[in-house]
Amino acid sequence: MQYHPEFDADYIGRMVDDGRWPADQARDLQQADEDPAAAARLNIRPGDLRPEVRLTELRNWLAAL
């Protein structure tokens, strides 16, 4: 999957919930920010979804400009 830290899991889940992605995984993405069990089913560590963690690389890149 392409890495897009500017998008949260819910947004990505809604983007792929159109038949191109398994429906259960799209639903889990939509719920992963709030539901640790949904994140675990996708092998995502809930802490990695926190904005302060998810956006670290983007913030560092902007600071280096």
Side-chain angles (χ1 to χ4, degrees):
M1 175 182 279
Q2 179 68 40
Y3 176 63
H4 284 283
E6 68 275 21
F7 301 139
D8 63 14
D10 175 53
Y11 181 82
I12 295 170
R14 287 183 284 122
M15 284 179 41
V16 300
D17 193 15
D18 63 358
R20 295 179 293 167
W21 197 273
D24 59 330
Q25 291 179 7
R27 278 191 303 278
D28 279 346
L29 269 171
Q30 292 172 34
Q31 298 169 359
D33 285 322
E34 304 296 325
D35 181 0
R41 285 191 293 274
L42 297 167
N43 294 315
I44 298 172
R45 294 179 301 195
D48 290 344
L49 295 172
R50 293 188 343 253
E52 59 272 13
V53 172
R54 181 172 48 82
L55 298 172
T56 297
E57 183 177 353
L58 180 60
R59 229 182 352 267
N60 289 343
W61 177 73
L62 290 171
L65 294 179

